[in-house]
């Protein structure tokens, strides 16, 4: 019996490679998290700009608590099993009338995590709609292996290398419309994208990318994880502590180290890099 999801939801995820919407917090809770995020942006802009949007849970306890939320972990356990590790978190923020977009891609293309298993949780802190550039998923692509990606380094492309997949049937795509406090879950091989934000409001998504089972390891050097649930500590991944207070120096140092490693791993083999 699933812990938090229905069997139908689990079956839908296994068939399609994604599941949405799933309410993981109330709209009032999501509004409070948004207020806290935007206060942190005002008070500590250097910690949440550019590369600072990678792994914010390592330096802000309120985000760490979300990533380790028991109901969220119950949902994840229903999808990947009881041994759960957190590889990282990201903010995907599109400002009002932001031209930034995301091309068709699979999450584990360049990051060195193998095998390609796990799930990502994308939590909406504001409405994520067709107008604001919600995620779009192509069902069943998680069963088709890894697709060939072409680097574009497009100016408004949010992805690290502007990577894209050519020749897809975009008519099959499903729009994942989310309200504040709702989440989507997707497999690391599920092909997805998102359009620019044409609305007059920010689109803020907090993503745990990804929750991993213990057989997933980093094959491009060092890898770091938090142990979220279970007892399996096997493998070479290094454990990262949870933050006790905001912007602790030791946590800032480890986040910087991990983000540098991420950049090295994501740009491995690329002809150029973006300036951050």
């Amino acid at each position: 019996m699933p812990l938090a999801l229905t069997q139908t939801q689990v079956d839908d995820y296994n068939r399609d490679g994604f599941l949405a919407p799933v309410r993981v917090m109330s709209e009032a809770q999501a509004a409070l998290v948004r207020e806290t995020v935007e206060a942190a942006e005002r008070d500590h802009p250097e910690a949440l700009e550019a590369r600072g949007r990678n792994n914010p849970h390592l330096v802000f306890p309120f985000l760490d608590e979300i990533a380790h939320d028991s109901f969220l972990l119950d949902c994840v356990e229903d999808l990947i099993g009881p041994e759960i590790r957190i590889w990282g978190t990201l903010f995907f923020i599109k400002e009002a009338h932001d031209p930034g977009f995301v091309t068709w891609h699979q999450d584990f293309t360049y990051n060195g995590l193998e095998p390609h298993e796990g799930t990502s949780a994308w939590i909406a802190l504001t409405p994520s709609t067709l107008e604001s550039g919600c995620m779009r998923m192509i069902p069943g692509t998680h069963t088709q292996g890894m697709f060939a990606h072409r680097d574009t380094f497009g100016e408004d492309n949010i992805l690290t290398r502007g990577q894209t997949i050519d020749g897809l049937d975009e008519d099959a795509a499903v729009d994942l419309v989310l309200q504040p406090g709702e989440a989507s879950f997707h497999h690391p091989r599920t092909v997805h994208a998102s359009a620019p934000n044409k609305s007059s409001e920010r689109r803020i998504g907090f993503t745990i990318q990804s929750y991993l089972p213990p057989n997933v390891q980093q094959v491009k050097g060092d890898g770091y994880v938090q142990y979220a649930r279970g007892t399996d500590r096997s493998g070479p991944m290094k454990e990262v502590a949870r933050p006790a207070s905001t912007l602790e120096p030791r946590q800032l140092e480890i986040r910087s180290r991990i983000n540098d490693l991420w950049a090295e791993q994501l740009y491995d083999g690329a002809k150029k890099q973006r300036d951050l």
Side-chain angles (χ1 to χ4, degrees), residues 58 241-244 247-255 257:
L58 296 180
R242 298 179 63 178
L247 301 180
E248 296 172 86
R250 67 181 178 87
Q251 291 295 106
L252 284 166
E253 190 278 329
I254 188 63
R255 183 178 76 155
R257 188 188 318 162

Side-chain angles (χ1 to χ4, degrees), residues 31-48:
L32 179 58
V33 174
R34 176 186 178 175
E35 289 176 10
T36 308
V37 169
E38 292 182 328
E41 288 179 309
R42 291 190 300 270
D43 296 341
H44 310 287
E46 73 290 344
L48 285 171

